[in-house]
């Protein structure tokens, strides 16, 4: 080998020795390792550029936001306008621009819950109802059955529309007549003939229309304990007979009171009329308590036949026991009122001459001389007329407030609104 060839070989060997050694490769393939490094570099670079863009945008928009009304100064035509660059506004750290997704979701969830609580409904309904299953069951029951019940009520009203309208008309007539009588009685003998005549005419026409046009004429027999039927009747027929009869009896009661109002003072003095109004009302209530008994007893006893007849008899006996207490109470009140009507003095007794002198020569109510003086149980003396008018409204002595009279109800000519069904 020549000297030149040896030199070249030696030079090649030295270059190979000076060549840097390649590091040992890891077990990860080259392509995956390179992709991992590139992804970190790209993510870091992108984040850096995004933050820079945010800084530039905030620096450019801040003058427009902070001073929106700033105007560019005017300048002559064809002359350039120099606009000063916006001042750099310090930008908050990058951490302030990070959006917390979980916090936003929590805020939206809380806002939705508050709105549902205010409206009373959420995804599963009212929270208060969720904790009360009994109430939920009641609401569900009402939603299921109330519409059907309303349908049945509408059918019932339509089927009995004539009876409902008749009773409504009788009630309106009764209320109007009762109000007029009370007003005329309060005038203390200065009543008007026209008002009394119109009330009588209205009542007579109403009763005539009921028994001639709207109901069977046999229904009038029920007013005098004569049954207007000969065969078993159902519940609605009994209710119709009892209701119409009670209304008509109250209208007759008002007619009787009209007669007492119209009587002149020489027949019945005005101060004594209060007890006649009371007696008329007590008699009417007692009669109206007894009159429906025959209809309900017939209904209970004749509703069954055969062995079931025993149950009807039991029902009739229970009804009688129930009614006896009410009848006895009304009878006692009627007897007490009758005794008051038969007494010569309305209240108290006639005082002696010495008792009148001790009490004074003037009535404490009218401040005038005594006219037919009456001494009460508390030993105070008044005019009979004055004290009678007083006890038509009160029940105590005008001086010492001792209770002398009973309840002044019905002494003003009024009639009870209570409808006697049974």
């Amino acid at each position: 080998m020549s000297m030149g060839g040896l030199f070249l070989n030696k030079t090649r060997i030295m270059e190979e020795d000076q060549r840097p050694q390649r590091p040992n490769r890891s077990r990860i393939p080259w392509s995956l390792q390179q992709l991992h490094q590139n992804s970190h570099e790209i993510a870091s670079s992108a984040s850096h550029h995004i933050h820079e863009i945010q800084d530039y945008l905030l620096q450019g928009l801040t003058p427009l936001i902070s001073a929106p009304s700033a105007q560019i100064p005017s300048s002559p035509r064809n002359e350039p306008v120099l606009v000063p660059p916006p001042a750099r506004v310090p930008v908050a750290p990058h951490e302030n621009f990070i959006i917390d997704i979980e916090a936003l979701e929590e805020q939206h969830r809380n806002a939705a819950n508050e709105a549902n609580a205010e409206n009373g409904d959420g995804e599963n309904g009212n929270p208060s109802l969720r904790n009360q299953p009994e109430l939920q069951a009641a609401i569900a029951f009402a939603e299921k059955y109330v519409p059907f019940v309303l349908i049945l009520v509408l059918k019932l009203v339509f089927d009995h529309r004539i009876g409902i309208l008749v009773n409504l008309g009788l009630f309106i007539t009764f209320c109007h007549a009762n109000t007029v009588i009370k007003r005329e009685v309060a005038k203390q003998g200065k009543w008007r003939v026209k008002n009394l005549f119109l009330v009588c005419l209205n009542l007579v026409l109403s009763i005539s229309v009921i028994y001639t046009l709207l109901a069977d004429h046999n229904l009038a027999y029920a007013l005098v304990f004569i049954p207007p039927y000969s065969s078993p009747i159902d519940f609605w027929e009994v209710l119709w007979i009892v209701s119409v009869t009670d209304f008509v009896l109250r209208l007759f009661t008002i007619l009787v009171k009209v007669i007492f109002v119209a009587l002149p003072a020489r027949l019945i003095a005005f101060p004594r009329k209060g007890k006649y109004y009371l007696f008329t009302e007590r008699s009417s209530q007692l009669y109206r308590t007894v009159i429906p008994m025959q209809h309900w007893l017939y209904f209970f006893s004749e509703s069954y036949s055969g062995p079931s007849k025993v149950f009807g008899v039991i029902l009739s006996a229970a009804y009688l026991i129930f009614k006896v207490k009410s009848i006895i109470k009304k009878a006692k009140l009627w007897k007490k009122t009758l005794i008051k009507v038969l007494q010569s003095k309305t209240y108290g007794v006639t005082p002696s001459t010495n008792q009148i002198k001790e009490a004074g020569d003037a009535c404490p109510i009218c401040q005038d001389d005594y006219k037919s003086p009456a001494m009460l149980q508390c030993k105070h003396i008044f005019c009979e007329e004055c004290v009678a008018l007083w006890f038509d409204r009160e029940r105590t002595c005008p001086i010492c407030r001792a209770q002398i009279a009973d309840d002044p109800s019905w002494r003003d000519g009024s009639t009870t609104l209570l409808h006697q069904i049974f």
Side-chain angles (χ1 to χ4, degrees):
M1 183 178 293
S2 61
M3 294 297 293
L6 292 172
F7 179 77
L8 290 174
N9 290 335
K10 188 177 181 179
T11 303
R12 188 180 298 111
I13 292 172
M14 291 176 64
E15 290 178 356
E16 290 178 359
D17 294 337
Q18 295 177 357
R19 183 181 299 172
Q21 296 294 329
R22 181 177 296 177
N24 295 329
R25 295 180 179 179
S26 61
R27 296 181 180 180
I28 302 176
W30 179 86
S31 58
L32 295 178
Q33 182 180 8
Q34 190 67 28
L35 288 174
H36 184 68
Q37 294 177 356
N38 291 343
S39 62
H40 278 286
E41 294 177 358
I42 292 173
S44 178
S45 177
S47 176
H48 177 71
H49 288 301
I50 289 173
H51 290 309
E52 288 183 351
I53 293 173
Q54 290 177 349
D55 294 343
Y56 289 131
L57 288 175
L58 290 175
Q59 292 176 5
L61 293 176
T62 300
L64 298 178
I65 297 173
S66 61
S69 60
Q71 299 180 357
I72 300 176
S74 59
S75 61
R77 190 174 183 179
N78 299 329
E79 291 185 5
V81 178
L82 299 179
V83 179
R88 182 178 180 81
V89 179
V91 183
H94 301 310
E95 289 79 9
N96 295 337
F97 298 98
I98 298 176
I99 300 176
D100 192 348
I101 302 299
E102 294 182 357
L104 289 177
E105 291 179 353
E106 185 66 24
Q107 293 178 1
H108 287 296
R109 193 179 300 110
N110 294 336
N113 292 336
E114 293 177 359
N116 293 336
E118 293 178 358
N119 297 332
D121 19 288
E123 296 180 355
N124 297 326
N126 195 327
S128 61
L129 295 180
R130 291 198 301 268
N131 299 330
Q132 299 179 1
E134 296 83 1
L135 185 58
Q136 285 184 344
I139 294 176
F141 179 83
E143 291 178 351
K144 183 177 180 180
Y145 290 99
V146 166
F148 180 72
V149 173
L150 291 178
I151 294 174
L152 291 180
V153 171
L154 289 176
K155 182 183 184 305
L156 185 65
V157 171
F158 182 80
D159 293 343
H160 300 277
R161 59 190 182 276
I162 301 299
I164 294 174
L165 292 176
V166 168
N167 282 273
L168 182 60
L170 288 173
F171 178 75
I172 295 174
T173 303
F174 165 77
C175 291
H176 174 263
N178 192 29
T179 303
V180 173
I181 294 302
K182 289 175 60 178
R183 185 173 61 245
E184 296 300 320
V185 170
K187 293 179 181 180
Q188 300 183 4
K190 300 178 182 179
W191 47 269
R192 299 182 60 181
V193 179
K194 177 182 177 181
N195 294 337
L196 297 180
F197 175 76
L198 291 177
V199 168
C200 292
L201 181 62
N202 185 23
L203 296 180
V204 172
L205 290 177
S206 299
I207 296 173
S208 302
V209 169
I210 292 298
Y211 288 120
T212 57
L213 298 179
L214 301 178
D216 187 3
H217 65 279
N218 293 329
L219 184 61
Y221 295 152
L223 296 172
V224 289
F225 293 98
I226 299 177
Y229 41 79
S230 57
S231 59
I233 54 178
D234 58 12
F235 172 78
W236 298 110
E237 291 177 345
V238 176
L239 196 62
W240 162 256
I241 295 172
V242 171
S243 179
V244 173
T245 302
D246 187 74
F247 268 123
V248 172
L249 288 175
R250 282 191 288 173
L251 297 183
F252 277 123
T253 302
I254 294 178
L255 285 174
V256 174
K257 292 179 180 180
V258 170
I259 296 174
F260 282 116
V261 173
L263 287 177
R266 64 178 177 271
L267 295 179
I268 300 178
F270 173 75
R272 300 175 60 88
K273 289 184 178 181
K275 61 182 182 181
Y276 288 98
Y277 300 141
L278 176 60
F279 178 75
T280 303
E281 181 63 25
R282 294 297 187 196
S283 302
S284 173
Q285 292 181 11
L286 177 60
Y287 190 80
R288 289 171 44 239
T289 303
V290 178
I291 203 71
M293 290 182 59
Q294 62 169 346
H295 309 297
W296 288 112
L297 289 173
Y298 188 83
F299 169 71
F300 290 135
S301 61
E302 298 300 327
S303 297
Y304 304 96
S305 59
S308 300
K309 189 79 171 179
V310 178
F311 183 69
V313 174
I314 295 175
L315 291 178
S316 301
Y319 175 74
L320 283 175
I321 296 173
F322 171 75
K323 286 290 291 184
V324 164
K325 183 178 179 180
S326 177
I327 294 174
I328 293 175
K329 180 180 178 181
K330 296 295 178 61
K332 289 181 178 180
L333 291 174
W334 179 83
K335 180 181 178 181
K336 186 177 180 180
T337 306
L338 178 62
I339 294 174
K340 290 182 178 181
V341 171
L342 298 178
Q343 288 178 349
S344 58
K345 287 289 183 180
T346 305
Y347 298 100
V349 296
T350 304
S352 63
T353 305
N354 293 332
Q355 291 174 335
I356 295 176
K357 289 181 179 181
E358 292 176 358
D361 295 332
C363 174
I365 295 178
C366 65
Q367 299 299 320
D368 200 354
D369 294 338
Y370 287 109
K371 297 178 181 179
S372 183
M375 184 174 66
L376 304 180
Q377 299 174 3
C378 58
K379 305 303 180 181
H380 292 118
I381 302 175
F382 306 92
C383 295
E384 182 183 3
E385 181 177 352
C386 297
V387 77
L389 293 176
W390 174 267
F391 287 128
D392 283 344
R393 302 292 184 270
E394 304 290 339
R395 62 175 64 184
T396 59
C397 173
I399 296 178
C400 64
R401 297 300 177 183
Q403 183 171 349
I404 305 298
D406 297 329
D407 189 359
S409 300
W410 322 126
R411 295 177 182 272
D412 59 348
S414 60
T415 304
T416 179
L417 293 173
L418 181 62
H419 199 48
Q420 189 69 46
I421 296 297
F422 53 89

